[in-house]
């Protein structure tokens, strides 16, 4: 049982109060290029401090995106450092999540034979990770990766993964294993008050269910894979939807049937009730989770729960900005960009 | 004390005299113009004037000059430029505008130069470690050098490229960036440039005019920046001198054009019938004689006057007539909306009740006087609209302070005075009389509500609004019902049995039925047939709930006045706390506490009491008799402050 960290919750609410509002997104969507968006963020939002030394006229899109991602991490450090709670096991989740993301990026680069991993490595976190991210970026084969991870917690997770006949790593399997490991770690470390714990597990379960649903939808709609093939690549942990319910959805012969079956589940009904587009499953799932997170943040007085959902909301905000930047860069119509922004 | 009586004016004359008439109308300051097409008879074949204003383009040019030069135009005697034709004025304005353009262009050029030099200076200042000549560095044959800045995150990634053929030297660090340069053999230039592109390296292009090493180049650039600044100052100075010479004439042209422009706009309000124009509007009755005599020198022009309410098509505008005492309170009345022409001007009622309510809530002799002086000074010196109101309510607060025996929170200071005068029932100490004060304020509220209902009855009868005057909750039916209930309750309290069967049937049930049936009854009085919309069920349901709401409002509005007593008690309590705190302090700190405590209580209570009194006026009283749908009287005049679209 953990003690209350009310000051941390208050701090979160204070930072949350400065979040971008729908009119900020509208203003950004009306800009013509990345510089103008950066300029808007610098002059009109709480990102002004982050962008203070940046020349918005010359800023590169990639740099801006990296800075925004870094700001999420810095905020995370700020709020967990406020009452020195960062040393507690649960609050290490962000580091582990980043490490897993970097390992997966490394595996994808190995498969693609690319050396571009270094470009987006979050070096600002390097002093906190259990392995050197710059060294990870140098790895170019899976065996080398396993050797590199030997002294870390990830080795036991990945050691059973083998290469296929083309010498490629099964990324989906790696992802399934690592995500399962991460979720189990979160579940075991979430030892807070029962009511808070219930809310946390409920939020986490939604995340688990949606990972499976979205991945299986992709496999059904774009690759036409069978139920057995799909199930093999899915997380073996389940949330609100039972394993049977999952299997029933996986067995859908096509995308339309998949959506029809999904629409009868709790999540499907919620998506329809909220007026989201159920055929755009990924966006609707994100919207639903965003709404859920906001509701938890408003009602919860628990520090770990607030930290977790707040960071999720912050990441969504950054993703919104990135969607706008990319939309503007590729000349996407503003109503299309607006449909990607989650508020 | 009432609403200024108006005369409806119809001016007609030959179209040749139209402009002269419009000039006189805007000069007189007492004519409220209306669109003549509102009253014109369609069969007369009138045409409304729709012309583009010829003064608009020149005025726009003037506003543009004003915006670019920063000069604010003022109204001036323009007889010097009155005879100049529009093309002559246009040419003058174009010349001024062109010269302004030249000065502005010179200034812009100087600013651009400054920007380039400052940018180069900023860059070179970050490369202070370079001791070689920039030009020599850039002309190396086998090695290429790129200068610029690297994000701090990317700088941390440089060890990853240890095996690549380049060196990066940094000279300074600034928040998120490392300033420096990388050296690369010409043969590897493309590869290394790609690496640095991926690391978001921002290359700095040192301009050709930069020579020498970093230190020499920096001092040379500093000199250039200073020269640019001087050059900008000179350009601005020249522009100011030029505009100074032109300002007077421009103001004259502006005054003439704005006058003619606004007068011309008034033409759109007139109508033309067979070479004759017609203009209609309103003039206060007190000015009507002077107004009618204004057009004596224009033979074709005739002016006809009639009582404002004789004209049924346009509601007369409202000009409130108030005495010196109540005039400041007209601000509150206007805030709510002006009364209609035939209704009652409530300003006196507001002045008296507002002062009364404020005084009861803010009763302190000393604080009231301070507030009165403060309000008077602010009104006099700062022309603050609330000033005179504050001074009046301050006096009211002082009077009630005398009754309460409170002076700056000292509750016993006046006791000897009253003793000497032999007045035994004073002072009326608030904290010792909490219950009587609360009951008395509710009684005051009931009294004010009854007055409001009476005003509504008089106003309704005056406007022949019988439904409102006779049968509404604020009419005679409502008054009888409310009065009878109160009379019955008071009678019961003092031991008289009032609620007999005839009393209840005639004075309570019958008014309730009248309120319930107010719409059909009003039709009956007017001799019109009542048409029930939506059926009997709908009629019963909607009137039942409305009457229920009326009953609730009698109770809630009356009880709302308990706040008056509440604030009187809170004022006394806050001062009690101040005095208690002061008592517990040292001899030196105690007076400071008393002074600051008084200032604090005075500030916070004055604000709260002002708001509460206004709330009672608007919600509990105005809502019973006042609609606020009058049109303000706005005489035509040339508005020099207003810009044009």
């Amino acid at each position: 049982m953990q003690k209350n960290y009310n000051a941390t919750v208050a701090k979160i609410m204070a930072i949350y109060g400065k979040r971008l509002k729908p009119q900020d997104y509208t203003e950004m969507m009306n800009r013509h290029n990345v510089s103008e968006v950066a300029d808007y963020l610098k002059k009109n939002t709480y990102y002004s401090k982050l962008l203070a030394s940046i020349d918005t006229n010359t800023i590169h899109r990639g740099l801006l995106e990296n800075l925004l991602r870094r700001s999420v991490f810095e905020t995370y450090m700020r709020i967990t450092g406020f009452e020195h709670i960062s040393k507690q096991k649960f609050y290490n989740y962000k580091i582990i999540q980043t490490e897993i993301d970097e390992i997966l990026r490394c595996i994808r680069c190995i498969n693609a034979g690319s050396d571009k991993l270094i470009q987006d490595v979050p070096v600002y976190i390097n002093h906190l990770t259990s392995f050197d991210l710059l060294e990870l970026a140098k790895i170019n084969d899976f065996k080398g990766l396993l050797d590199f991870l030997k002294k870390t917690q990830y080795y036991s997770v990945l050691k059973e993964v083998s290469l296929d006949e083309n010498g490629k790593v099964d990324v989906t399997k790696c992802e399934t294993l690592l995500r399962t490991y991460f979720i189990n770690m979160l579940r075991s470390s979430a030892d807070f008050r029962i009511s808070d714990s219930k809310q946390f597990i409920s939020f986490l379960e939604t995340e688990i269910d949606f990972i499976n649903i979205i991945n299986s939808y992709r496999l059904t709609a774009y690759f036409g894979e069978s139920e057995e093939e799909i199930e093999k690549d899915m997380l073996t942990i389940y949330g609100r939807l039972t394993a049977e319910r999952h299997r029933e959805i996986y067995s859908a012969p096509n995308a339309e049937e998949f959506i029809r079956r999904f629409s009868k589940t709790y999540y499907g009904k919620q998506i329809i009730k909220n007026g989201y587009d159920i055929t755009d499953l990924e966006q609707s799932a994100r919207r639903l989770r965003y709404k859920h997170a906001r509701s938890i943040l408003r009602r919860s007085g628990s520090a770990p729960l607030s930290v977790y959902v707040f960071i999720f909301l912050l990441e969504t905000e950054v993703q919104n900005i990135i969607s706008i930047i990319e939309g503007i860069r590729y000349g996407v119509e503003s109503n299309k960009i607006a449909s990607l922004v989650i508020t | 004390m009432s609403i200024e009586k108006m005369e409806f004016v119809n001016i007609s004359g030959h179209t040749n005299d139209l402009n002269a008439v419009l000039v006189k109308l805007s000069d007189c300051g007492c004519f409220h113009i209306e669109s003549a097409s509102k009253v014109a008879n369609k069969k007369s074949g009138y045409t409304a004037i729709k012309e583009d204003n010829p003064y608009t383009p020149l005025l726009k040019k003037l506003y543009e000059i004003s915006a670019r030069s920063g000069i604010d135009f003022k109204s001036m005697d323009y007889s010097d430029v009155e005879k100049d034709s529009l093309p002559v004025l246009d040419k003058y304005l174009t010349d001024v505008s062109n010269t302004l353009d030249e000065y502005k262009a010179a200034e812009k050029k100087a600013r651009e130069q400054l920007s380039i030099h400052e940018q180069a200076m900023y860059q070179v200042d970050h490369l202070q470690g370079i001791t070689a000549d920039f030009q020599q560095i850039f002309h190396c044959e086998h090695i290429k050098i790129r200068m610029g800045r690297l994000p701090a995150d990317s700088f941390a990634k440089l060890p990853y490229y240890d095996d690549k053929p380049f060196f990066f030297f940094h000279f300074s660090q600034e928040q998120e960036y490392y300033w420096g340069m990388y050296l690369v053999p010409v043969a590897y230039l493309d590869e290394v440039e790609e690496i640095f592109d991926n690391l978001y390296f921002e290359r700095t292009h040192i301009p050709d005019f930069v020579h020498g090493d970093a230190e020499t180049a920096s001092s040379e650039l500093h000199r250039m920046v200073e020269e640019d600044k001087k050059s900008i100052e000179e350009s601005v100075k020249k522009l100011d001198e030029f505009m100074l010479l032109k300002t007077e004439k421009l103001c004259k042209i502006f005054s003439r054009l704005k006058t003619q422009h606004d007068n011309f706009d008034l033409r759109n309000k007139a109508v033309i019938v067979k070479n004759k124009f017609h203009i209609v509007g309103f003039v206060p009755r007190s000015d009507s004689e002077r107004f009618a005599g204004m057009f004596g020198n224009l033979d074709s022009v005739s002016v006809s006057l009639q009582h404002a309410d004789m004209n049924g098509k346009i509601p007369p505008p409202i000009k409130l007539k108030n005495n010196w005492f109540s005039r400041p309170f007209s601000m509150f009345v206007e805030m709510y909306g002006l009364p209609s022409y035939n209704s009652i001007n409530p300003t006196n009622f507001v002045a008296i009740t507002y002062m009364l309510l404020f005084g009861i809530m803010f009763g302190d002799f000393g604080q009231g006087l301070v507030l009165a002086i403060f309000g008077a000074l602010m009104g006099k010196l700062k022309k603050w609209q609330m000033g005179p109101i504050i001074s009046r309510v301050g006096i009211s607060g002082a009077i009630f302070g005398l009754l309460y025996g409170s002076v700056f929170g000292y509750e016993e200071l006046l006791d000897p005075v009253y003793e000497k005068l032999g007045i035994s029932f004073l002072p009326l100490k608030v904290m010792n009389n909490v219950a009587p004060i609360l009951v008395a304020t509710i009684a005051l509220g009931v009294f004010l509500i009854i007055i409001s209902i009476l005003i509504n009855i008089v106003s309704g009868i005056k406007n022949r609004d019988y439904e409102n005057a006779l049968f509404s909750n604020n009419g005679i039916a409502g008054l009888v019902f409310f009065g009878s209930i109160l009379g019955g309750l008071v009678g019961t309290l003092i031991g008289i049995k009032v609620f007999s069967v005839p009393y209840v049937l005639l004075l309570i049930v019958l008014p309730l039925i009248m309120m319930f049936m107010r719409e059909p009854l009003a039709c009956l009085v007017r001799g019109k047939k009542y048409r029930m919309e939506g059926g009997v069920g709908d009629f019963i349901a909607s009137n039942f709930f409305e009457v229920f709401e009326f009953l609730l409002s009698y109770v809630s509005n009356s009880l709302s006045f308990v706040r008056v007593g509440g604030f009187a008690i809170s004022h006394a309590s806050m001062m009690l706390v101040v005095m208690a705190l002061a008592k517990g302090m040292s001899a030196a700190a105690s007076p400071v506490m008393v002074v600051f405590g008084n200032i604090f209580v005075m500030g916070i209570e004055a604000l709260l009491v002002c708001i509460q009194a206004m709330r009672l006026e608007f919600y509990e009283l105005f809502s019973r008799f006042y609609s606020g749908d009058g049109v303000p009287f706005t005489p035509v005049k040339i508005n020099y402050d207003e810009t044009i679209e």
Side-chain angles (χ1 to χ4, degrees):
Chain A
M1 187 71 72
Q2 301 193 353
K3 74 166 202 162
N4 280 338
Y5 290 97
N6 294 334
T8 299
V9 178
K11 178 93 179 158
I12 287 172
M13 293 312 286
I15 302 172
Y16 182 63
K18 294 177 191 167
R19 70 192 179 279
L20 298 189
K21 309 291 181 305
Q23 60 265 36
D24 289 313
Y25 293 124
T26 312
E27 287 286 342
M28 283 190 277
M29 279 184 268
N30 290 333
R31 300 301 194 260
H32 299 98
N33 50 48
V34 177
S35 294
E36 287 182 10
V37 174
D39 197 54
Y40 180 82
L41 286 169
K42 186 174 178 176
K43 288 178 181 161
N44 303 285
T45 70
Y46 73 100
Y47 289 104
S48 55
K49 203 174 165 191
L50 173 79
L51 302 173
S53 63
I54 302 297
D55 181 357
T56 53
N57 292 315
T58 57
I59 189 163
H60 189 281
R61 180 178 61 90
L63 176 61
L64 179 59
E65 289 177 10
N66 284 350
L67 283 172
L68 291 171
R69 288 195 188 97
R70 196 177 85 183
S71 86
V72 175
F73 185 76
E74 281 172 355
T75 308
Y76 166 80
M77 292 301 288
R78 194 147 56 99
I79 52 179
T80 53
F82 190 58
E83 286 184 283
H84 310 290
I85 53 178
S86 54
K87 288 194 177 74
Q88 293 174 21
K89 191 183 169 196
F90 173 79
Y91 295 100
N92 204 32
Y93 85 88
K94 193 71 200 152
I95 313 291
I96 295 176
Q97 198 179 40
T98 311
E99 287 176 343
I100 289 175
D101 287 344
E102 287 306 301
I103 293 169
L104 287 171
R105 277 197 333 114
C106 177
I107 294 170
R108 288 192 194 99
C109 282
I110 290 168
N111 274 357
S114 164
D115 60 353
K116 297 281 184 196
L117 181 62
I118 185 67
Q119 201 170 336
D120 296 320
V121 165
V123 279
Y124 47 84
I125 199 176
N126 211 16
H127 61 292
L128 296 168
T129 50
S130 59
F131 52 81
D132 187 341
L133 295 173
L134 290 178
E135 288 302 316
L136 177 78
K138 287 179 183 171
I139 293 167
N140 49 22
D141 64 274
F142 190 62
K143 189 180 172 304
L145 177 67
L146 285 180
D147 287 344
F148 177 74
L149 295 174
K150 211 154 220 166
K151 286 180 181 164
T152 70
Q153 54 197 322
Y154 309 108
Y155 178 75
S156 58
V157 180
L158 294 175
K159 66 181 179 187
E160 300 302 329
V161 177
S162 53
L163 303 181
D164 66 9
E165 61 272 20
N166 300 319
K168 301 281 184 197
V169 193
D170 186 346
V171 184
T172 316
K173 180 157 192 186
C174 292
E175 186 166 359
T176 307
L177 290 171
L178 287 168
R179 297 267 181 249
T180 306
Y181 171 78
F182 176 66
I183 288 162
N184 285 333
M185 184 283 297
L186 271 182
R187 272 180 159 173
S188 65
S189 63
D191 104 29
F192 13 97
R193 268 197 314 235
I194 292 172
S195 60
D196 299 329
S197 182
K198 264 185 178 172
Q199 282 195 63
F200 179 72
I201 296 294
S202 152
F203 189 70
L204 201 59
E205 283 178 344
T206 313
E207 187 176 348
I208 297 163
D209 283 337
F210 275 123
I211 289 173
N212 275 342
I213 292 293
I214 290 167
N215 286 342
S216 58
Y217 177 74
R218 285 179 189 158
L219 293 171
T220 305
Y222 309 127
F223 302 99
E225 288 196 358
S226 66
E227 183 194 338
E228 292 72 31
E229 284 170 321
I230 291 172
E231 202 179 343
K232 190 163 55 79
D233 291 333
M234 294 299 114
L235 300 180
T236 50
I237 39 181
Y238 302 98
R240 190 184 277 264
L241 300 185
T242 59
E244 288 72 38
R245 203 67 197 267
H246 273 280
R247 273 185 221 112
E248 186 195 329
I249 298 170
Y250 301 159
S251 65
N254 52 43
E256 289 74 33
E257 181 59 20
F258 189 100
I259 295 290
R260 199 188 64 75
R261 289 183 189 182
F262 174 70
S263 65
K264 287 182 181 162
T265 63
Y266 167 78
Y267 299 118
K269 285 175 188 162
Q270 284 294 312
I271 286 173
I272 293 166
K273 188 179 156 196
N274 283 289
Y276 307 145
D277 178 9
I278 197 159
T279 57
D280 189 354
L281 205 56
E282 288 187 40
Q283 276 299 99
S284 301
R286 284 175 63 203
R287 281 182 200 285
L288 204 61
R289 287 195 67 217
Y290 185 78
K291 192 171 175 241
H292 191 184
R294 282 183 63 166
S295 140
I296 292 174
L297 188 63
R298 267 201 306 273
R299 286 183 280 118
S300 169
S302 143
L305 189 55
S306 297
V307 169
Y308 191 81
V309 293
F310 173 64
I311 292 300
F312 169 78
L313 291 171
L314 215 52
E315 283 168 341
T316 310
E317 179 176 286
V318 165
Q319 190 51 49
N320 283 341
I321 302 172
I322 291 172
S323 298
I324 292 172
I325 291 170
E326 287 178 348
I328 290 172
R329 183 176 148 82
Y330 295 112
V332 179
E333 286 175 19
S334 57
N335 58 346
K336 177 73 187 153
I337 302 176
S339 71
L340 299 172
V341 173
I342 292 168
T343 52
Chain B
M1 290 197 290
S2 60
I3 293 166
E4 179 98 46
K5 288 292 164 206
M6 293 281 160
E7 291 286 322
F8 180 69
V9 183
N10 189 338
I11 309 166
S12 57
H14 195 274
T15 44
N16 292 344
D17 288 330
L18 177 57
N19 284 347
V21 168
L22 291 175
V23 170
K24 281 183 186 295
L25 290 179
S26 35
D27 286 346
C28 76
C30 63
F31 182 68
H32 174 100
I33 199 165
E34 291 284 353
S35 181
S37 58
K38 284 184 189 169
V39 289
N41 186 350
K42 283 184 180 168
K43 287 177 187 164
S44 65
Y46 74 85
T47 50
I49 300 176
K50 289 275 175 242
E51 294 170 323
D52 287 338
N53 196 322
Y55 305 100
T56 304
L58 289 187
L59 259 184
K60 279 188 177 169
K61 207 170 250 184
L62 262 169
Y63 284 125
E64 203 183 302
I65 290 171
S66 162
R68 288 167 60 216
S69 62
I71 292 174
D72 288 328
F73 295 129
K74 292 174 205 145
S75 71
M76 281 181 89
D77 173 34
Y78 55 83
S79 47
D80 294 2
V81 295
E82 199 164 15
K83 298 253 163 31
D84 292 344
S85 66
L86 291 185
V88 169
L89 293 180
D90 188 23
K91 188 177 176 315
Y92 180 80
L93 293 180
T94 308
D95 288 345
V96 171
S97 182
N98 288 343
T99 314
L100 193 62
D101 279 346
E102 283 168 25
Y103 285 120
K104 282 277 171 192
E107 187 191 329
K108 191 182 169 202
K109 199 177 166 190
R111 285 192 189 282
E112 280 171 359
Q113 280 296 107
L114 174 69
S115 170
I116 291 168
H117 290 151
E118 276 183 337
Q119 185 75 13
M121 187 174 81
Y122 173 72
Q123 290 159 353
V124 170
D125 280 351
H126 283 96
L127 302 171
Q128 281 303 318
I130 299 175
T131 50
D133 188 322
F134 281 111
Q135 294 308 319
Q136 284 180 345
I137 290 173
F138 293 130
H139 287 97
C140 287
E141 199 177 333
H142 302 291
I143 286 178
K144 285 289 170 195
I145 291 171
R146 298 285 181 256
M147 294 177 183
R149 60 180 192 170
L150 192 63
D153 280 352
S154 301
F155 183 78
K157 291 175 188 171
L158 286 179
Y160 177 84
Y161 299 102
D162 275 350
D163 55 338
K164 299 291 177 189
F166 68 83
F167 296 105
F168 181 84
F169 302 103
H170 74 273
F171 304 113
S172 61
Q173 191 194 351
E174 176 201 62
Q175 290 169 330
E176 286 298 321
Y177 288 98
Y178 282 84
W179 284 81
M181 63 178 185
Y182 63 86
L183 288 80
V184 53
V186 174
Y188 296 98
L189 183 61
D190 290 344
E191 186 191 346
V192 172
E193 271 192 336
E194 195 189 334
I195 289 171
F196 274 85
D197 282 349
N198 289 337
L199 292 173
Y200 312 115
F201 179 75
E202 288 175 30
R203 192 178 159 190
T204 295
H205 293 272
I206 303 294
D208 290 340
F209 56 77
V210 175
H211 296 282
D213 60 17
E215 199 179 335
T216 319
S218 175
S219 63
E220 176 63 10
L221 284 165
H222 275 91
R223 190 188 59 75
M224 286 170 159
V225 164
E226 286 309 312
E227 271 180 19
D228 293 336
K229 283 181 181 166
K230 269 185 200 158
S231 172
I232 291 168
E233 268 175 32
E234 274 172 28
S235 302
V236 172
K237 198 176 161 194
K238 276 183 190 169
L239 176 67
D240 289 346
E241 283 169 0
F242 170 73
M243 288 314 295
L244 201 65
L245 290 173
K246 303 289 175 188
T247 301
E248 193 181 336
K249 188 165 181 182
L250 287 172
C251 283
K252 286 176 181 173
I253 295 172
F254 167 75
S255 304
R256 178 196 151 176
L257 290 175
K258 185 70 173 123
T259 306
Q260 290 179 317
H261 174 273
D262 287 8
N263 282 334
F264 195 90
D265 266 356
L266 295 178
R267 289 164 70 91
N268 293 336
K269 301 271 186 186
V271 294
I272 306 288
V273 185
K274 292 175 191 162
N275 287 334
K276 279 190 88 177
F277 71 84
H278 292 271
I279 295 172
V280 298
F282 294 91
V283 171
R285 192 166 288 166
S286 53
D287 291 317
S288 60
E289 213 169 295
R290 176 177 70 87
F291 181 81
M294 271 178 7
F295 305 96
N297 58 340
L298 299 169
D299 293 338
S300 77
V301 177
S302 66
V303 178
S304 77
L305 298 163
Q306 64 181 116
H307 283 317
D309 38 4
M310 300 282 279
N311 136 70
K313 291 183 178 171
I314 311 175
I318 308 302
K319 188 179 178 191
L320 297 177
K321 247 166 87 177
N322 295 313
N323 56 32
W324 69 270
F325 168 74
S326 63
R327 196 169 296 129
F329 292 91
S330 65
M331 185 178 99
F332 291 158
V333 176
E334 286 163 19
M335 208 186 277
Y336 196 90
L338 287 166
S340 54
Y341 188 66
N342 278 324
S343 62
I344 290 164
N345 175 3
T347 315
N348 276 350
F349 177 73
V350 171
I352 293 166
T353 52
Y354 194 88
M355 283 177 64
L356 183 68
L357 294 170
F358 187 96
I360 296 172
M361 291 189 265
F362 191 86
D364 187 293
F365 182 68
Q367 291 182 359
L369 285 184
V370 171
L371 210 60
I373 294 165
F374 171 75
L377 286 174
M378 291 303 279
K380 200 96 183 159
L381 304 175
K382 297 274 174 193
K383 306 284 174 218
W384 188 36
Q385 234 184 327
M386 275 295 284
I389 295 177
I390 296 289
S391 69
R392 282 160 177 74
V393 296
I395 290 169
S396 172
I399 292 169
F400 276 91
L402 280 180
L403 295 180
Y404 297 155
S406 175
V407 184
F408 290 121
Y410 291 100
E411 304 289 331
E412 284 86 29
L413 213 63
L414 294 178
D415 290 0
V417 180
Y418 287 118
E419 264 174 41
K420 219 170 208 176
L421 291 172
I423 305 171
S424 59
F425 60 93
L426 288 176
L428 190 74
K429 294 196 183 299
V430 174
M431 298 310 283
N432 299 340
N433 296 288
V434 171
I437 283 178
L438 293 178
V439 174
T441 49
I442 295 176
L444 173 70
V446 168
F447 174 71
L448 292 177
I449 288 171
I450 290 174
I451 298 281
S452 305
I453 295 176
L454 286 172
I455 295 173
N456 184 60
I457 293 169
V458 173
S459 175
I461 292 172
K462 245 173 122 181
N463 286 314
R464 297 178 184 186
D465 182 359
Y466 297 118
E467 181 190 333
N468 189 20
L470 302 178
F471 310 117
S472 75
N473 61 322
N474 298 316
I476 290 173
L479 183 66
V480 172
F481 173 81
F482 187 46
S484 307
I485 294 274
L486 287 169
L489 286 176
V490 172
T492 310
L493 277 176
I494 57 173
I496 305 168
K497 196 184 171 218
V498 182
F499 288 121
S500 61
V501 174
Y503 185 91
V504 172
L505 286 178
L506 282 175
L507 300 177
I508 296 175
V509 177
L510 183 64
L512 264 180
I513 294 170
M514 286 167 83
M515 284 191 266
F516 189 84
M517 305 284 289
R518 64 197 179 285
E519 285 172 16
L521 286 173
C523 287
L524 195 71
V525 172
R526 284 202 202 98
K528 287 182 183 171
K529 201 179 168 193
Y530 176 69
R531 281 184 58 199
M532 199 176 282
E533 288 171 9
V536 179
D538 201 28
F539 175 84
I540 292 173
S542 65
N543 279 293
F544 172 78
F545 285 110
E546 278 190 35
V547 169
F548 186 66
E549 197 192 325
F550 294 159
L551 301 185
L552 280 182
S553 77
Y554 287 127
V555 180
S556 64
N557 287 176
S558 305
L559 288 180
S560 190
F561 280 86
V562 81
R563 81 186 64 220
V564 178
F567 273 94
I569 295 161
S570 98
H571 190 128
S573 311
M574 284 168 86
M575 285 316 300
L576 209 67
V577 173
V578 170
M579 289 304 166
L581 286 172
K583 223 174 190 175
M585 290 179 166
S586 65
S590 178
V592 178
M593 182 65 214
V594 171
V595 171
F596 280 101
N598 265 286
I599 292 171
F600 175 76
V601 173
M602 221 172 3
I604 200 159
E605 279 285 299
L607 183 70
L608 286 175
V609 168
C610 270
I611 292 166
Q612 292 301 329
M614 197 186 294
R615 187 214 173 278
L616 289 169
E617 292 284 347
F618 283 177
Y619 285 92
E620 323 305 352
L621 304 180
F622 269 38
S623 60
R624 295 201 171 270
F625 68 91
Y626 196 65
S627 62
D629 52 3
V631 179
F633 176 76
T634 42
V636 291
K637 62 172 185 179
I638 309 300
N639 189 349
Y640 293 101
D641 296 329
E642 183 189 68
T643 54
I644 55 164
E645 291 299 317

